[in-house]
Every structure is written in C-alpha cells, then in structure tokens.
Amino acid sequence: MNSNAVIAIHGGAGTILRASMSASAETEYHAALHAVLSAGQRVLADGGSALDAVSEAVRLLEDCPLFNAGRGAVYTAAGTHELDAAIMDGSTLEAGAICCVKRVRNPILAARRVLEGSEHVLFTGEGAEAFAAAQGLELVEPAYFDTEARHRQWLLARGQQRAMLDHDGATLAAASSSNHDDEPTPHEPIDPNRKFGTVGAVALDRHGHVAAATSTGGVTNKQVGRVGDTPLIGAGCYADDATCAVSTTGSGEMFMRMVAAYDVAAQMAYRNVSLEEAAHDVVMNRLPKIDGRGGLIAVDARGNVTLPFNTEGMYRGFARLSEAPVTAIYR
Ligand code: ASP
C-alpha cells in the first residue's frame, strides 16, 4: 500500500485584488475547497482509486456555483452554456471526454462513462448528450446552469463585444456595481476580471496509481462551438503512472498550443527532471512566451505535489491521508 496517497484540486486562477476581497467570500471559497478535499481524502482512505477520487472531487466542484463548471458555468455569446470535461486514468492510459454539452448535469461523470464504456475518447454536443442519456446520467434543463453572477458578467462582456475569462467578467461586474469605478466591490478574493474558473483534481491512490480530471464552462461570451483546452487529453488533462497526473486552468488556446499537461509528463520522461521542475518550466517559462496565463496542479506516483501558477492567485488545495487539508488562494 502506498502511504503517500494524496489529492490536489483547483478552482481557477487569476489576478488578486486584495481590495476586492471580502472576508466572507474568502471564507466561503476556503470552506468549499476544504469540503471537496475532505471528500476526496475519504475516497482514498477507503482504498478507492485515484480515478474515483478525482471524479468525486470534480463532481462536487461542478455542483458548487462558486466555480465555472457545471452549475455556475459561464455564458456563451448566445446566452447559453456549453460545458467541457475530461478524465484520464494513469494506470491504463484510458481517457474519456465530452465537449459542448448543454444538458448533462455533471459533465465529469459523462467523461468517466466515455472512459469506461466506449471505445472512443471524445464526444461532442448532441452525440455526447445522447451517450450520457443512454448511460443513465442525469440530464437537466439548460437553465439549471444559470446563476445571477455569471449572467451579469456575460452582459458586461457582451457590451464590450469580446470573450473573456470567467473572472475577467466577474471583476467587471463588481466594478460596474460600485460607485467608485476604480475600486472593485468587495466580492471575490481573486479579481474576478482576471480569473479562470475551470475546476480540476489530480490524485495518487494507495495502490500507487494516478488520475486527473478537469471540467469547465469555458470563457464568458465565447463563440458557440468554441472548445478550449479542458476536454483535450494532453492539453487540459493528462495522467500516466510512469510520470504524473496534471489538470490545468487558464487561457485555453495557449494551453492547447503548448500541449501543456502532456508537456509536464513529457519533460519528466525525456529530460528526466522532477515533477516540480517540469511543471514550473511549463507554467513559468513556456506558457508566458505565448502569453499563456493560468496554472496547473500535478502529482506523481511518489506523492510529490506541485501547484504552480503565473497569475496572482489560484484557488487550490491538497490533502494527504490523515492530515488536515491545506487550501490557499494567493501566492
Ligand atoms: N481553460 C479554460 C478554457 O479555456 C478556461 C479556464 O480555465 O477557466 O476553456
């Protein structure tokens, strides 16, 4: 039995405006991260697989409206929601993903069914929904994903005729509701104008296997049909027992162009560097070269954990067995 079992999660990265932080919002985020880590920890402590732990953690994050995945997802340019998710098992290199779904309550569960029940890796749109329905997963009315906060962000992004990262829109919303245009309304701990709200989890289980899962609503006011890095194996999600498990958050197009998640694993395999060195190189050196902003979480089969980001903050945390979960927001 591997005594280094561990789970790590993220809930998006972005610019921190301390002025925009309210104590109650910060407490709420820490509590949400803590609860998800505790749930993941329980799965691992009971001997569950890393795959089970990351599925459960991401399912809970999808159900939490604080994060841009599942309920609380951002809006497309058409005022709809299109959700993406991926999951990978490091012990078998099996993977499953779905993108552009509008009615699947928990996209990560659909991705998992693709991994387990299909010869394919990625389903999109109607086909993905039909697959999820045939697998007995819960479908919801599209309005289930609506939240007031994301709707406000969308109206502002639409007014500016641009697509923006989840939390870019949120800061705009906070600023616009403030009397002082240059002072954000105390609301979220990370400047919501500069936040990427995707969620993800990586874990090492007691059997020595790793897994990764990532889920998102994408970017606010995105064009209908736009797909980012999240559901692409190797870009937003990757796992291999021989190297590591990785889940990313940030400007998806740049993470796709850098094949960011796989690059961490590849550097470990081909350059023989540590998890930390590989992840640091991707986030701090390679992504910034093409203006890629965000971060990632990663674990390896020895129980090393790293959570680098090149923005001012990233909602994040990790938990080892029988130790209290550690959560953080700022640098
Ligand atoms: N990477 C996600 C995407 O581009 C956005 C995010 O991380 O918030 O869809």
Side-chain angles (χ1 to χ4, degrees):
M1 281 285 164
N2 194 315
S3 56
N4 295 324
V6 61
I7 180 162
I9 60 172
H10 70 75
T15 301
I16 295 173
L17 284 187
R18 285 199 181 263
S20 75
M21 175 183 73
S22 77
S24 64
E26 185 166 346
T27 306
E28 218 182 328
Y29 276 97
H30 278 292
L33 293 170
H34 196 282
V36 172
L37 285 168
S38 302
Q41 226 177 4
R42 276 197 297 278
V43 173
L44 295 174
D46 291 346
S49 66
L51 199 63
D52 285 339
V54 298
S55 310
E56 179 60 3
V58 170
R59 184 187 73 79
L60 291 169
L61 288 162
E62 286 177 343
D63 283 351
C64 175
L66 290 176
F67 303 104
N68 168 25
R71 184 145 181 277
V74 298
Y75 288 76
T76 67
T80 54
H81 306 281
E82 293 185 348
L83 312 175
D84 307 330
I87 189 164
M88 186 160 184
D89 183 345
S91 67
T92 58
L93 300 187
E94 287 176 329
I98 51 143
C99 62
C100 287
V101 298
K102 298 178 177 159
R103 297 190 311 127
V104 178
R105 173 175 168 160
N106 288 110
I108 200 63
L109 298 184
R112 172 120 187 222
R113 293 297 173 92
V114 176
L115 181 156
E116 287 171 339
S118 164
E119 61 184 305
H120 303 298
V121 170
L122 173 61
F123 284 102
T124 184
E126 281 174 26
E129 286 179 2
F131 177 83
Q135 293 281 322
L137 292 180
E138 184 178 351
L139 298 190
V140 290
E141 287 306 312
Y144 163 81
F145 300 106
D146 289 350
T147 53
E148 170 65 35
R150 304 280 191 246
H151 191 250
R152 257 199 334 264
Q153 286 171 24
W154 173 61
L155 292 176
L156 286 160
R158 207 171 52 150
Q160 298 205 348
Q161 297 190 328
R162 59 185 175 118
M164 52 175 89
L165 291 159
D166 170 26
H167 310 304
D168 290 1
T171 291
L172 252 190
S176 80
S177 62
S178 162
N179 290 334
H180 312 281
D181 281 351
D182 50 350
E183 274 177 38
T185 303
H187 174 53
E188 295 190 53
I190 286 182
D191 171 1
N193 266 346
R194 297 263 178 260
K195 191 171 85 179
F196 311 89
T198 292
V199 306
V202 292
L204 165 67
D205 63 30
R206 295 172 67 186
H207 316 284
H209 301 306
V210 299
T214 314
S215 180
T216 192
V219 292
T220 297
N221 207 35
K222 67 185 181 181
Q223 285 181 45
V224 169
R226 176 268 186 189
V227 177
D229 59 323
T230 302
L232 301 184
I233 299 303
C237 182
Y238 192 72
D240 181 354
D241 281 0
T243 50
C244 61
V246 181
S247 170
T248 70
T249 178
S251 43
E253 281 68 13
M254 288 69 178
F255 282 69
M256 289 155 84
R257 288 160 57 199
M258 279 293 171
V259 201
Y262 179 70
D263 196 30
V264 177
Q267 290 205 32
M268 290 176 73
Y270 305 149
R271 286 210 302 133
N272 203 20
V273 296
S274 69
L275 176 76
E276 179 155 10
E277 190 176 339
H280 184 275
D281 184 56
V282 170
V283 173
M284 301 304 187
N285 302 330
R286 293 180 58 76
L287 281 164
K289 280 192 188 130
I290 55 168
D291 207 22
R293 295 181 56 244
L296 59 81
I297 55 173
V299 299
D300 67 16
R302 290 196 208 142
N304 293 305
V305 178
T306 187
L307 311 98
F309 51 95
N310 61 29
T311 50
E312 283 80 353
M314 179 166 82
Y315 296 105
R316 64 198 186 280
F318 68 93
R320 297 191 181 278
L321 292 194
S322 58
E323 282 179 24
V326 177
T327 61
I329 298 173
Y330 308 109
R331 234 176 240 293

